[in-house]
Amino acid sequence: MLISGELARYLAEISQQTGRQLGLLINRKGVVEYVIAGDAKKIIIPELERMRSGPGRLRGLRFVHTHLNGEGLTHDDLTDLALLRLDLIAAVEARLEGAGKLHIAHLLPDNTEGKTWEILPPIWLQQLDLNFLDLVNSLEEELADRITVKEVDRSRERAILVSVYTGPKYRAEDSMEELKELVRSSGATILDIVFQHRPQIHPRYLMGKGKLEEFIIRCMQLGADVIIFDQNLTPVQEKTISENIEVKIVDRTQLILDIFAQRAQSQDGKIQVELAQLKYLLPRLATKNTAMSRLTGGIGARGPGETKLEINRRRLNDRITTLEKKIDELSKSRAQQRAKRKAAGLPIISIIGYTNAGKSTLLNSLTESEVVTRDQLFATLDPTSRRLRFPEEREVIITDTVGFIKDLPPDLIAAFRPTLEELKEANLLLLIVDISNPRWEDHIQSVNQILTGLTLDHIPQLLVFNKQDKVSPELTANVCRQYQGISISALQQETLPTLVEAVKDKIWGGKDNGSLSD
Ligand SMILES: Nc1nc2c(ncn2[C@@H]2O[C@H](COP(=O)(O)OP(=O)(O)OP(=O)(O)O)[C@@H](O)[C@H]2O)c(=O)[nH]1
Ligand SMILES: [Mg+2]
C-alpha cells in the first residue's frame, strides 16, 4: 500500500495544526526514512544519497506530503519526482475539515508523446488501496527494458545535443548540422537534439534555470550518457551544469579534442593533442578545486580530495611545461627540414581547407598516393608531403594537412603550431572548398579567418571548389565566376587538368599573373 489512510489523516491533521506542509520519505519496506517539515506553501527535500540512482533505476523512496490549500501536485513536486527519481510522489489535501483527496504521480519511461510523468486521477483516502509495489515493479521493468537496449549498444555513447543560441535560428541549425557530423565522427549515437533561444547566454546555467531542469529530466528519461553542447562552455558553466546532473558534459571544443585524440597517430600529433587537452582542462580543474575547498570549509581544511587535485594540478602544470618544450623542439626541427626543402629549391604547395573538403583525396589523385580519406571530420591529423612531377622535368612538393573548423579556441591552434607552421613555407595555398556543403561560404570565411590569425594570409591562394559532381554545373559555374576559382572533382582524374594548369601558371607564371618561381 502507498500509505495507510490512518497515517495520511494523521499527517494532514498535524499539518493543519502547524500550518506547515509535512512530508515523509518512505522506503519500499514501508519504513519512514525522513520526516520533513516545510512552510505553508512549500517543502524542500534534503539532498538524498545517490543510492540506486543508476540511469533507469528509481530511488526506492516514495514521498508523501501535505498540501494546505487543497491544491494538486505542483510543478515543483513533479520536478522533485523526476530529478530525485522517486518511486512516487503523493500530496494529501490537508483541509480544515480533515484529510481530503490524494494526488499521485509517477515517472514514465521514454514514450512517443514525450511525457515525463503520469498524474493519476485524485482519489479519496478511503479508496486508498493502490498497490504501489506492483506499480513500482512494473515501472522498473519497463525502465530496465530500455536499459537493456542501451547495454546492447554499449560500445557507442548515447548523446543528447544541445544548442543554446542568441542569434538567428538558421545559424544555430547550421552549426548543429556540423555538430552532428562531429558527433558522428567521434563515434557516438545521437538520442535527441535540443535548441533553446535566449536573449542572452546565462553566465552560470547557459540556459534558464527552469529550462535546465526540464532538460535534465529529459536526459534522464532518455538514458543519455553524455550531453554535448554546440557552444563552448566556460569553466563556470560547465561546473554549474555538471553539479546538477550525473551524466557527462562535453562542449564543442572537447568533442573536437576527443576526435583529435582518437585520430592522433604520429608522436608529434599525440604531443600536440595532449597539450591541447591539458590546456583545456587546466582552468576547469581550478574551479573544481575552489568548489571543493568551499565544501571542506575554510582555511586549513585539507581534505584528501583537495590534496589530490592540488597535486594533480601541479603535475598538470609540469606536464604542460614538458609538452610545450617538446613542441618548441618540434617546431625547430620542422623549420630545419623546411629550410632544407627550400634549399632544394622545390616550390611547396599546401592543400588547406575546411575539414572533409576533400584535401587528402586531392593529394591522392594528384600524386597517386594512399593517404587515408574518410567521410569523417578530421580524418587527417598529421601532415603528409609528396613530390608531384609536372611535364618538362618540373617538380613541386605538395602537402596535405589537418582540416580547419569554425570556432577553434586559440589554445588548440597554439598546440598545433608545428603542424600549422608547415604552411608558412608554402609558395601557394590550394584552398579546397566542398561546394556540395550548404555552408561552403562560411567555410571559406572560417578558413580565411584562421589563415589571418596564423599570419598566412599573404601567401598566394588558389580557390578550388571540389565535389562538383555533387552539384549542378550551373551552380559551379556561377560560383567559380564570382569567386574566381576553379572547380574539380577530386575523385575524377579527368577533372584535374584545369587545376594542374592553374597551379603551373601560378608557380612558374604566365606573363601577367605574377610568377612565384623566385
Ligand atoms: N562526391 C565526391 N566526394 C568526394 C570528392 N572529394 C572527396 N570526396 C569525399 O569526401 C570525403 C572527405 O574526403 P577527404 O579527402 O578525407 O577530406 P579531407 O579534406 O582530407 O578531410 P579531413 O582530413 O577530415 O580534414 C571522403 O569520403 C571522400 O571520398 C569529390 O570530388 N566528390
Ligand atoms: Mg584529410
Side-chain angles (χ1 to χ4, degrees), residues 359-360 372 379-380 400-401:
K359 301 178 292 298
S360 303
V372 175
T380 311
D400 170 34
T401 189

Side-chain angles (χ1 to χ4, degrees), residues 85-275:
R85 297 192 77 72
L86 299 169
D87 286 0
L88 266 177
I89 191 157
V92 185
E93 296 175 7
R95 296 167 182 277
L96 266 180
E97 64 275 16
K101 278 189 247 175
L102 186 69
H103 303 264
I104 303 169
H106 61 79
L107 289 176
L108 288 174
D110 184 30
N111 51 78
T112 45
E113 299 98 276
K115 277 172 70 179
T116 306
W117 42 65
E118 177 81 34
I119 302 175
L120 304 178
I123 51 173
W124 294 98
L125 282 186
Q126 293 85 319
Q127 301 170 288
L128 195 65
D129 58 357
L130 178 76
N131 194 336
F132 114 94
L133 270 183
D134 279 354
L135 176 69
V136 167
N137 284 340
S138 68
L139 203 63
E140 285 218 317
E141 250 165 53
E142 276 184 77
L143 291 170
D145 275 352
R146 208 193 55 220
I147 300 305
T148 331
V149 174
K150 184 175 146 186
E151 226 92 73
V152 171
D153 207 5
R154 200 64 213 174
S155 58
R156 314 187 90 203
E157 276 190 297
R158 293 156 54 100
I160 296 186
L161 315 191
V162 195
S163 170
V164 182
Y165 63 99
T166 51
K169 176 89 189 253
Y170 74 91
R171 283 242 148 236
E173 283 172 347
D174 275 356
S175 186
M176 181 58 80
E177 282 306 310
E178 187 175 276
L179 189 74
K180 273 157 70 179
E181 284 302 303
L182 284 166
V183 173
R184 201 171 61 83
S185 302
S186 82
T189 315
I190 299 170
L191 290 181
D192 198 13
I193 297 177
V194 179
F195 285 97
Q196 206 213 343
H197 179 266
R198 277 185 65 84
Q200 267 174 346
I201 295 295
H202 195 288
R204 300 185 69 84
Y205 298 102
L206 192 72
M207 51 183 104
K209 198 168 180 233
K211 204 70 193 175
L212 181 64
E213 252 168 21
E214 249 176 57
F215 171 67
I216 291 170
I217 292 167
R218 176 101 190 110
C219 294
M220 289 176 150
Q221 200 181 19
L222 290 174
D225 304 309
V226 54
I227 302 172
I228 304 174
F229 290 89
D230 191 28
Q231 286 72 26
N232 282 331
L233 301 178
T234 63
V236 172
Q237 285 163 341
E238 188 184 311
K239 176 169 157 277
T240 342
I241 298 171
S242 33
E243 272 169 3
N244 281 283
I245 189 163
E246 288 171 25
V247 300
K248 203 174 11 163
I249 309 275
V250 164
D251 67 8
R252 193 171 228 277
T253 299
Q254 240 178 323
L255 179 64
I256 294 173
L257 285 172
D258 181 80
I259 299 172
F260 276 25
Q262 288 181 38
R263 302 279 189 276
Q265 293 285 331
S266 68
Q267 192 60 24
D268 300 359
K270 285 180 186 161
I271 293 172
Q272 297 179 77
V273 173
E274 191 187 344
L275 180 62

Side-chain angles (χ1 to χ4, degrees), residues 349 390 428 430 462 499-508:
I349 301 173
F390 284 87
L428 176 65
L430 291 189
L462 183 59
L499 170 65
V500 172
E501 278 310 309
V503 168
K504 260 166 60 183
D505 236 37
K506 280 262 182 194
I507 294 199
W508 293 290

Side-chain angles (χ1 to χ4, degrees), residues 262-292:
Q262 288 181 38
R263 302 279 189 276
Q265 293 285 331
S266 68
Q267 192 60 24
D268 300 359
K270 285 180 186 161
I271 293 172
Q272 297 179 77
V273 173
E274 191 187 344
L275 180 62
Q277 280 183 313
L278 294 184
K279 284 212 159 168
Y280 176 87
L281 214 64
L282 191 63
R284 285 164 171 81
L285 272 190
T287 54
K288 273 182 197 148
N289 204 27
T290 13
M292 217 162 264

Side-chain angles (χ1 to χ4, degrees), residues 350-389:
S350 288
I351 306 178
I352 58 157
Y354 217 73
T355 177
N356 208 44
K359 301 178 292 298
S360 303
T361 310
L362 178 62
L363 179 85
N364 289 344
S365 296
L366 284 173
T367 63
E368 285 159 32
S369 314
E370 278 165 27
V371 172
V372 175
T373 65
R374 281 202 205 116
D375 189 15
Q376 261 181 356
L377 306 191
F378 302 113
T380 311
L381 208 60
D382 296 315
T384 313
S385 297
R386 293 277 184 276
R387 285 180 178 228
L388 175 61
R389 235 174 270 279

